[in-house]
Amino acid sequence: MTEEILPAPTTGATRVPDPPGSQRRPGLVLAIVLTCQTMFILDTSVVNIALPHIQRDMAFSPADLSWVLNAYMLAFGGLLLLGGRIGDIFGQRRALIGGVAVFTVASLAGGLSTSAGMLLVARAGQGIGAAVAAPTVLALITLGFPDPAARGRALGAYAAVSGSGAALGLIAGGMLTDWMSWRWVLFINVPVGAVLLISAPLFIAETDRRPGRFDLAGSLTSTLGMTALVFGFIRAAEQDFGDPVALGALGAAVIQLALFVAIEAHVRQPITPLRLFADRNRATGYLGLLFVMAAGNGMFFFLTQFLQQIRGYDPLKAGLAFVPLTVLILISSNASARLLPRLGAKTLTASGAAAITVGLLWLARLTPSADYAGSLLGPTLIAGLGMGTLLVGVTTVLTSGVRAEDAGAASGLRNVMQQIGGALGLAILVTAFGAATRTTHGTGHHVFTEGVTTAFTVGAAFTACTILLALTMRTRQDPAPEPLRGEEPHPMTDA
């Protein structure tokens, strides 16, 4: 498969006339794009709380249940960089509307699902829609607020939404599942999406279209490779690593990912410039972030089920149990941003990873009778402290010293690592969970808890690897380059 080359728009057709009110009501533009951002962030955590109910109604096995999250994250992360190019080439407003339309229809289909397969296809559809629309959020903020002070306030609102979205999703998911049905964690996107589809053409002006290329081969091989890798681990969780299907999937993943690297090394406009990995700090930062997201996503997945299936929490109470962790992430990230000039990105990354490791090792000591205040609150607060600290440090590492022409790809790859790391890590932790439950004897609660604590131990090993990677970073950080005059940044969302 070759790249698809799109011609530059004809003269006089590069900008669609501004819709009424697009320049006079920037507040409405901000509200529209932040609503999109919130919807995409919520769609992982809001479903997480509903997983036990989905498992019961759709007859998912414990291993297959992870696909409810992974189908979304793999499609989202695998196509995110391609989504950014779609906005550049066709216009940001078109990409926003098209992505939201796909996301909304897929949400409706997911809520109406009558089988596990239909639900997973719908979740993948949501991920595709989010991958197209999410990169437009920062682009429209950047282009819609040319005044530096106004843009700063808009980006502050964007950061607040991004930081609080996970907690809102957990609480909303608990309320919808507890008071109505798990299907409403998907149905809720339909009226929100409809409002966005009506309001976006009225208040958002179209952006200039730019000629460019779609690296379709790179997008396809990377997405297929990661999907095969995740499937291989989840299959091994249900069977073992000697299973022919699991071995075949892992072999196919190696072939697809090798093809991806070969394509990116030779294509004219690669979706992932390999030169981004030439810098040692940036390469270790990407790998460290992948490890942390692998452990963090697994922590949410297994704690949600432990609270509801072992401790008997209802969905709302389980969602509220994660609020202290999320609040501490916000507090520690703000404090770490102020401490960054004094401590440096290397110190923040290593110390954040160390705190997460301590929290996970503490969680690995859970028993079926563990209470929230004595056994769960402490380790989750420590993990939250570490997450907020690490994300500030590692983001600084990944954006320092990047050439102006690679700034969009570098920030976009950071978000890809978050999504792909979460999906791959969850598959590996589910494999560890399955292996532990097959070899443990006792009551159902004891067996389940043994699997959960094994998964937390493996997650702690992931974050310990991040500590070691951070310690190999160079202490000195090159400053991020100034954008080229007149250059529009290539946008990527922090979803």
Side-chain angles (χ1 to χ4, degrees):
M1 183 178 295
T2 59
E3 297 175 290
E4 180 180 346
I5 305 176
L6 298 181
T10 57
T11 304
T14 59
R15 181 180 290 275
V16 176
D18 293 348
S22 60
Q23 303 302 324
R24 297 191 300 271
R25 298 184 180 180
L28 284 174
V29 174
L30 183 62
I32 292 169
V33 297
L34 290 185
T35 300
C36 290
Q37 174 75 355
T38 303
M39 186 168 63
F40 300 143
I41 291 176
L42 260 61
D43 215 61
T44 297
S45 57
V46 75
V47 172
N48 217 327
I49 289 293
L51 287 176
H53 291 257
I54 294 174
Q55 181 180 15
R56 183 183 65 242
D57 289 356
M58 291 292 181
F60 278 103
S61 69
D64 284 343
L65 184 64
S66 62
W67 279 108
V68 180
L69 299 180
N70 283 342
Y72 178 76
M73 290 189 293
L74 284 170
F76 192 178
L79 300 175
L80 189 59
L81 293 176
L82 183 64
R85 295 291 292 156
I86 289 174
D88 285 343
I89 293 173
F90 289 112
Q92 303 296 343
R93 189 180 70 177
R94 288 187 184 88
L96 177 72
I97 294 172
V100 169
V102 172
F103 185 91
T104 303
V105 172
S107 297
L108 178 62
L112 296 173
S113 295
T114 56
S115 67
M118 182 177 176
L119 176 60
L120 295 182
V121 170
R123 288 289 287 164
Q126 286 183 300
I128 294 171
V132 174
T136 68
V137 173
L138 277 178
L140 291 171
I141 290 176
T142 301
L143 300 175
F145 294 85
D147 177 68
R151 183 185 301 174
R153 290 191 294 271
L155 290 174
Y158 167 83
V161 165
S162 299
S164 60
L168 291 175
L170 292 168
I171 297 171
M175 290 190 296
L176 291 169
T177 304
D178 202 28
W179 298 345
M180 302 175 75
S181 162
W182 67 262
R183 296 179 183 275
W184 278 93
V185 303
L186 299 170
F187 283 147
I188 193 63
N189 295 320
V190 177
V192 176
V195 171
L196 292 172
L197 291 174
I198 294 171
S199 57
L202 294 176
F203 299 106
I204 297 180
E206 185 57 279
T207 61
D208 289 335
R209 298 170 63 183
R210 291 185 286 179
R213 298 168 179 263
F214 283 141
D215 182 9
L216 297 179
S219 298
L220 181 63
T221 52
S222 63
T223 303
L224 289 178
M226 291 308 304
T227 301
L229 191 61
V230 169
F231 175 79
F233 278 110
I234 292 177
R235 175 74 180 189
E238 294 185 318
Q239 306 295 326
D240 55 55
F241 278 105
D243 177 68
V245 176
L247 290 175
L250 294 174
V254 172
I255 294 172
Q256 289 291 330
L257 294 175
L259 285 173
F260 167 71
V261 173
I263 290 168
E264 299 307 278
H266 295 93
V267 76
R268 184 179 300 178
Q269 291 185 6
I271 201 167
T272 306
L274 297 182
R275 59 179 173 269
L276 289 174
F277 297 96
D279 179 82
R280 188 179 71 189
N281 275 19
R282 196 173 305 117
T284 55
Y286 282 130
L287 187 57
L289 179 61
L290 186 144
F291 280 133
V292 168
M293 296 309 299
N297 200 49
M299 183 182 72
F300 279 99
F301 179 80
F302 287 109
L303 272 181
T304 296
Q305 296 187 69
F306 178 84
L307 288 172
Q308 295 185 65
Q309 296 190 23
I310 305 301
R311 299 304 302 152
Y313 282 27
D314 60 46
L316 178 57
K317 188 177 180 181
L320 292 173
F322 289 101
V323 172
L325 178 148
T326 307
V327 170
L328 203 58
I329 291 176
L330 291 174
I331 293 173
S332 61
S333 60
N334 288 329
S336 297
R338 292 193 294 269
L339 291 172
L340 178 62
R342 184 186 308 171
L343 299 179
K346 175 180 178 178
T347 299
L348 291 178
T349 302
S351 59
I356 301 171
T357 304
V358 170
L360 287 168
L361 289 175
W362 190 348
L363 288 172
R365 301 176 60 191
L366 287 177
T367 64
S369 60
D371 66 300
Y372 177 76
S375 301
L376 290 171
L377 181 60
T380 55
L381 288 177
I382 292 174
L385 173 66
M387 288 178 185
T389 303
L390 178 136
L391 288 175
V392 171
V394 79
T395 300
T396 303
V397 169
L398 298 181
T399 56
S400 295
V402 179
R403 297 190 299 185
E405 61 269 27
D406 290 334
S411 60
L413 190 56
R414 174 193 180 279
N415 298 318
V416 170
M417 287 295 176
Q418 286 185 268
Q419 299 295 330
I420 297 299
L424 180 59
L426 181 56
I428 296 173
L429 295 185
V430 166
T431 303
F433 171 88
T437 56
R438 285 195 298 270
T439 58
T440 301
H441 303 285
T443 64
H445 281 194
H446 174 73
V447 172
F448 186 89
T449 304
E450 184 66 22
V452 168
T453 55
T454 300
F456 288 147
T457 302
V458 176
F462 285 160
T463 53
C465 290
T466 300
I467 300 174
L468 297 177
L469 288 168
L471 293 176
T472 67
M473 294 177 180
R474 295 190 303 270
T475 301
R476 179 179 176 272
Q477 292 293 325
D478 297 322
E482 293 293 329
L484 298 177
R485 184 176 300 275
E487 181 185 22
E488 294 180 5
H490 182 84
M492 279 294 158
T493 182
D494 188 19

